[in-house]
Amino acid sequence: MAHPIDLAQLRSLLTDTCDAAVVPSSTLLADALERNLVRVAESSGELVGCVAAEMPSPGHVRLSVIAVRAGMRRKGVASQLLAEMLQQVPQTSGEPPLVSAIANTEQPTATRLLLACGFIGTRVMHTSGTDDALPIHFQHTMRVEYIDPGARHLVHVSAREQLMESLAPADHAVTALVTLSGAPAFEIARFERDDPATLQSGEAAAGIAFSGSILAAVTFLLGFSFASKRFPDDVRLLLILATFSTVLSLIVYASASGELARIRSNSFGRIMKWGNVLSEYGGVLPFVISLPVTYAQVSRNPWTTMILAVVLSAAIAWYEHSEFSIAFRFRRSRSEIALMAFTAVSPVLGAALVATKTTSWPWTAALAVALAMRTWLYLFRRDSERGITERRQWQIRE
């Protein structure tokens, strides 16, 4: 990161390597230095490269200039400077700012650098200039976007009218600079445009449908437990708690739908985390773990009971380590792995106690504590679910 004392060397570097028209003024450079928006590369105590930017608003960073001395070019200096700038750009909120740049059609080196560093050219900037070069607005992609592989075409850099027409739709962008018939040409692709409101609405609806189904299953099993006089009271209590937790998850999912309808606080991801965790560790796992206990009461066959319990334990262990589980979306610690192991072997332990008519209260209490600890861990000791922060948030303006 450059410092204010580097201002004189920066001016010298930019004067030696850039046209006078693109060199920022001393005032702009000084402001960029104060706001940590300048990175430099040194060799033998001399500045050999720099990238400078300005931040006209808290949510937008515009690259001002990228310069490398002639003797240090084609060595990856510019790409490393730009990559480090993108990683350390100042953030005033949880959402990273948009990073953009302008490069005209007569700057193939700058265009290739931007495209190689994750930028795409989104539109032609209409200026009052009379030269043949067209300035193109490039912006860094902040999230995963999908290209339609069958909707790409090539446009020569010199074809001004066709280039403006190709970039006119909002879902078209420059993704590569290639050589076509011996001349430079842009590859222009069409991006699939997703609707955040539709995606989040579908996620909330799926959560409500899933919790509703689990609630129906848990309620049926709870009714069976009340109808059986031999059913352990502690397992009944576990099913009652599972019913309460599942109902609570339904309320939380409904709250997420309300947040989506109002679009007030960008808290959809946080609310969905509560619903997901409560439905899994308060509803799904207690229900699945209680199945061998129910079978033991109905069949009174210890062999088939234990076979069922072992199969369910293996299935839970596989699920816990798969990419489909809620635990996969959070960072794991040693204590959490121990809780996961105990949860996986719980069907075997519970079925063995019931089949041998041994007191099951200690097992039920330990299982409830383990599930409660995992719920507390994911809700209060972990950040958002993996991938939630990468989703586009709504911009709120007072």
Side-chain angles (χ1 to χ4, degrees), residues 14 67 175 177 240 253 298:
L14 295 175
T175 55
L177 180 63
I240 291 174
Y253 283 133
V298 174

Side-chain angles (χ1 to χ4, degrees), residues 267-284:
S267 59
F268 177 82
R270 178 177 56 83
I271 296 175
M272 287 299 294
K273 183 180 79 168
W274 274 78
N276 293 338
V277 172
L278 288 174
S279 64
E280 174 142 331
Y281 299 104
V284 176

Side-chain angles (χ1 to χ4, degrees), residues 154-175:
L154 300 175
V155 178
H156 278 289
V157 171
S158 58
R160 292 171 53 93
E161 298 297 330
Q162 182 60 54
L163 184 59
M164 289 188 290
E165 179 183 343
S166 298
L167 291 179
D171 56 352
H172 283 62
V174 174
T175 55

